[in-house]
Amino acid sequence: MLATDTTATPRTIAASRTTGGRALSITLWTIQILLAAFLLIASAAPKFAGQRDAVETFAKIGWGQWFRYVTGVVEAAGAIGLLIPRLAAWAALGLIGLMIGAIITQVFVLVPAFAALPAVFGVLFAVIARVRMAQAVSPAALFRR
């Protein structure tokens, strides 16, 4: 018969949770940094710079070029928020809203197949929001002096 060690102590259980929690935290911060870099460099910057593709895309959407700048500002603010621990959950929630708008726009106005990328990003933002909410500052505290 095979003997098994069933002497798990609270200390060993806590140590395994801490190790798993640390790995999750590192993984999540890596994802947040990569998403923030993408949002700033590949998404917001071309909108602010007036890159031809961005201008044409927002012309197809039909809301005017002002909407390109608003979208760029939301992306940049969300990217910065993802990098601040107390704001990461709220930034992720805001970016979920942006991704829902992107999915709807892709499906009904642009190229439906391209809705997959904002859908994947939306799922990642939901995970970030869920995990980081424990660290988030309350919305009321953001406006207190």
Side-chain angles (χ1 to χ4, degrees):
M1 200 150 159
L2 187 64
T4 58
D5 182 16
T6 59
T7 59
T9 65
R11 175 177 271 162
T12 59
I13 293 170
S16 68
R17 285 184 186 159
T18 303
T19 304
R22 180 168 161 75
L24 174 65
S25 183
I26 291 170
T27 302
L28 204 55
W29 275 115
T30 302
I31 292 169
Q32 285 174 241
I33 291 166
L34 292 173
L35 285 170
F38 175 84
L39 287 170
L40 283 172
I41 297 166
S43 196
K47 289 174 180 73
F48 293 138
Q51 182 184 37
R52 184 171 38 103
D53 290 344
V55 172
E56 290 172 2
T57 297
F58 280 86
K60 287 178 190 174
I61 292 170
W63 282 24
Q65 293 303 309
W66 67 271
F67 191 59
R68 173 172 51 96
Y69 291 107
V70 169
T71 304
V73 166
V74 171
E75 290 171 342
I80 293 166
L82 284 176
L83 302 176
I84 301 170
R86 294 170 46 145
L87 300 178
W90 300 115
L93 287 174
L95 289 166
I96 290 170
L98 183 69
M99 293 303 109
I100 290 169
I103 292 166
I104 291 169
T105 302
Q106 287 293 344
V107 169
F108 292 109
V109 180
L110 301 171
V111 181
F114 291 160
L117 183 62
V120 169
F121 282 1
V123 170
L124 292 173
F125 293 138
V127 170
I128 291 166
R130 173 70 174 101
V131 174
R132 298 291 185 213
M133 193 53 77
Q135 298 170 319
V137 64
S138 74
L142 291 173
F143 301 103
R144 286 189 204 138
R145 289 185 188 201

